[in-house]
Amino acid sequence: MIKRQLLTLLFACTFAGGLFAQQPWFKDRDLTLTGVYYYPEHWEDSQWERDLKQIRDLGFEFVHFAEFAWAQLEPEEGKYDFAWLDRAVALAAKYDLKVIMCTSTATPPVWLSRKYPEILVRNEQGIALDHGARQHASFASPLYRELAYKMIEKLAEHYGSDPRIIGWQLDNEPAVQFDYNPKAELGYRDFLRKKYNNDIQALNAAWGTSFWSEVYSSFDEITLPKPAQMFMNHHQILDYRRFAAAQTNEFLDAQCLLIKKYAKNQWVTTNYIPNYEEGHIGGSPTFDFQCYTRYMVYGDNEGIGRRGYRVGNPLRIALANDFFRPIQGTYGVMELQPGQVNWGTINPQPLPGAVRLWLWSVFAGGSDFICTYRYRQPLFGTEQYHYGIVGTDGVTVTPGGHEYAQFMREIKSLRGQVGEREAKPADYTARRTAILFNHENSWSIERQKQNATWNTMGHIEKYYRTLKSFGAPVDFITEAKDFTDYRVMIVPAYQLADKALVDRWIAYVKQGGNLVVTCRTAQKDRYGRLPEAPFGSMIDPLTGNEMEFYDLLLPEDKGVVEMDGKRYAWNTWGEILKPGKGVQVWATYDEEFYAGKPAITSRRLGRGTVTYVGVDSADGSLEREVLKKLYAELEIPVMDLPYGVTMEYRNGMGIVLNYSDRPYRFELPKGAKKLIGEEAIPTAGVLVFSIAE
Ligand code: GAL
């Protein structure tokens, strides 16, 4: 057994402990709570008690109710019926199950769509979505919002002080709506009026409307940008995407505040799909923390080896963890598949062990709860083929259900014998790295890629994958954070910037930070315009370079960059650099009319360093070598895990996950003790160890 005090002393963490105030909602000693979606409205109420009892017996600690039940909660306008839900909550409590309550705004009842058809989302052709599916109501419609808020307030009044309810999930996977409802157009104009202080000339300047006669004389002339027009003004699109993301955020914030009027001891969040580029994740400041949903096996073969499609992409959960956790210091996972899904291109069985592997992957990143989608396989409706914890008879536990039960037994066996959340070894926290992220960069770059094979998220993932092979804890952060919390920060393809941000980067480095800046950074202002200065020169004071030009190559005829005697292929983007005094050249181009000229440079600035990587390699191997070289210079100890194996620490435990197609032998650190699994970790296997006695 590990002694908590000793651990804290030995492994007191320099950074992470100080970054976030301890959240009040979850107890460290619980490690994680695990729960499941149950839809009472789908089943005979005579079965509820049997089901909830079995949910408890399997080891679950909470259930998730009422996500799509608006029609049952408000069967007629203004007439509410919570009696059925009260019965379900009481039965859950009888079996020691806490409840997550939902606001069901993703599924308005038919009376609402028929009586008020103006609330329906419209596509670009003006076609209104209709009742019979879900997510067809327009967040831009003030009327829809009003009706939704009325229902939510009733629900919050009813359950807000109920100690059986632990928290709330708003809506379902709320997305940024690209909605052509006329109210969205009005909303967009209002957004622009506010942004440009009612000054249409300011908007004309920001959007460069002197180009192609696009000039506006009034905000009322502005319409939503139409995807059908491929040459649509991209400054306008940038502002449209900002508006659309803000609209979703405002809708969620308003729901959250309504609930908080009544719910003083319950948390509020939502369940985002980790579409990092949509830009609304973390944008509702009223939330208590952020949650994501994640599906791993659905036909896309992003796994390793012949059976990889049954295990999934090794970094899919890790990246979501590292993106969501830094926003508010903790996160939960609201949906994780327990078996086959119904909506993939191919819906295979997960490899035996994979469901448990995903659960441990979520846990490893520092989460506080995990909820699986869903308890019973539905007998009707759109998701008939979706596996549950139990099968179509409502009682037989599925293979994934058994893996959940195993995970929950394992977690419970660890409670009381492990350390505090931030008890992590010093060599692990020493390699903690930030990746600075702003979705607007990819909005901007993806509209003007210049090379069809460029992929903004793919570029970022080359660095991320390397960091995970180092066994490094990674935080995706925004400009709202204090950079000085991180010894190393990577700023990948950060296209939209301004002098104030460049000055912050310079100050960070001068104070001892180590910045890795990559190609395409700070080449435009925040409106997406090129500054009237030499191309790319906004960061010259930081990198110490000038840029001669950039080049783009055919994917079938890649170029070569040489670093430390090794050659690396590239084609999507290569900047030809002109280093100034005191700048070291790390890599040069090996071909074309610029052979011998620099592609990567590094320099000291104040107490820190700036590494500038002007090229995007074809397979990420160059990015890996750059980071290896830098971490070696900084004397930061790194691991060398093969792709498919990841390792994290929390609560004084190391957790090693094997997504690869072969067993991996992990050498336990000195003094470590095995808690779960073996050093020879099979495919889809997990090893958990305590870090010291
Ligand atoms: C999610 C969604 C759930 C359910 C699930 C099925 O994307 O949030 O409501 O539809 O997919 O896998």
Side-chain angles (χ1 to χ4, degrees), residues 253-268:
D253 265 337
Q255 290 198 26
C256 181
L257 289 176
L258 257 183
I259 290 172
K260 287 193 170 191
K261 250 170 84 178
Y262 304 91
K264 301 296 172 205
N265 296 308
Q266 299 163 349
W267 44 258
V268 186

Side-chain angles (χ1 to χ4, degrees), residues 192-205 219:
L192 295 171
R193 278 192 192 97
K194 224 191 253 161
K195 174 163 182 174
Y196 295 102
N197 292 324
N198 249 327
D199 178 357
I200 195 68
Q201 295 320 336
L203 176 139
N204 281 319
F219 284 90

Side-chain angles (χ1 to χ4, degrees), residues 194-456:
K194 224 191 253 161
K195 174 163 182 174
Y196 295 102
N197 292 324
N198 249 327
D199 178 357
I200 195 68
Q201 295 320 336
L203 176 139
N204 281 319
W207 289 8
T209 54
S210 54
F211 191 78
W212 285 356
S213 226
E214 287 165 8
V215 64
Y216 293 100
S217 55
S218 137
F219 284 90
D220 293 327
E221 292 165 347
I222 295 169
T223 50
L224 300 175
K226 311 285 183 297
Q229 283 166 281
M230 71 178 288
F231 293 125
M232 182 59 71
N233 180 315
H234 58 265
H235 312 282
Q236 177 176 356
I237 293 172
L238 198 57
D239 271 344
Y240 171 58
R241 297 200 66 149
R242 287 173 173 138
F243 155 75
Q247 178 178 262
T248 299
N249 289 333
E250 280 163 24
F251 181 48
L252 295 173
D253 265 337
Q255 290 198 26
C256 181
L257 289 176
L258 257 183
I259 290 172
K260 287 193 170 191
K261 250 170 84 178
Y262 304 91
K264 301 296 172 205
N265 296 308
Q266 299 163 349
W267 44 258
V268 186
T269 185
T270 188
N271 62 338
Y272 291 114
I273 303 180
N275 283 343
Y276 310 108
E277 288 144 300
E278 275 195 5
H280 62 322
I281 299 167
S284 293
T286 57
F287 286 7
D288 293 300
F289 52 85
Q290 317 284 319
C291 287
Y292 68 80
T293 66
R294 198 77 285 197
Y295 290 82
M296 294 295 289
V297 162
Y298 49 89
D300 286 11
N301 191 4
E302 293 179 7
I304 296 174
R306 185 160 170 228
R307 302 280 180 253
Y309 69 97
R310 296 192 189 278
V311 181
N313 178 329
L315 296 180
R316 192 169 158 83
I317 291 177
L319 203 151
N321 294 344
D322 293 342
F323 192 93
F324 280 72
R325 182 195 53 251
I327 301 171
Q328 278 162 293
T330 189
Y331 66 100
V333 172
M334 204 60 94
E335 296 177 24
L336 194 66
Q337 82 194 83
Q340 282 162 298
V341 296
N342 63 292
W343 46 262
T345 48
I346 298 164
N347 297 302
Q349 286 281 346
L351 196 74
V355 169
R356 175 172 163 267
L357 174 72
W358 304 332
L359 282 158
W360 277 106
S361 305
V362 170
F363 177 75
S367 63
D368 273 295
F369 74 82
I370 309 174
C371 187
T372 183
Y373 195 86
R374 52 184 282 154
Y375 182 63
R376 290 183 66 169
Q377 174 160 357
L379 304 182
F380 41 74
T382 306
E383 296 181 345
Q384 277 175 311
Y385 287 90
H386 202 293
Y387 255 49
I389 293 295
V390 295
T392 44
D393 63 1
V395 290
T396 305
V397 179
T398 56
H402 285 296
E403 292 189 25
Y404 265 84
Q406 183 185 348
F407 171 76
M408 294 184 289
R409 280 194 304 274
E410 289 168 341
I411 288 293
K412 285 175 190 165
S413 78
L414 294 171
R415 285 181 183 163
Q417 60 158 325
V418 293
E420 285 168 10
R421 175 71 56 92
E422 294 306 332
K424 300 171 184 179
D427 60 345
Y428 174 71
T429 54
R431 38 183 193 257
R432 193 157 168 272
T433 302
I435 296 180
L436 190 67
F437 184 84
N438 182 348
H439 47 271
E440 296 189 352
N441 293 312
S442 93
W443 293 351
S444 174
I445 295 177
E446 294 291 321
R447 281 299 297 182
Q448 290 189 315
K449 282 157 64 128
Q450 305 311 300
N451 186 335
T453 59
W454 170 271
N455 175 343
T456 308

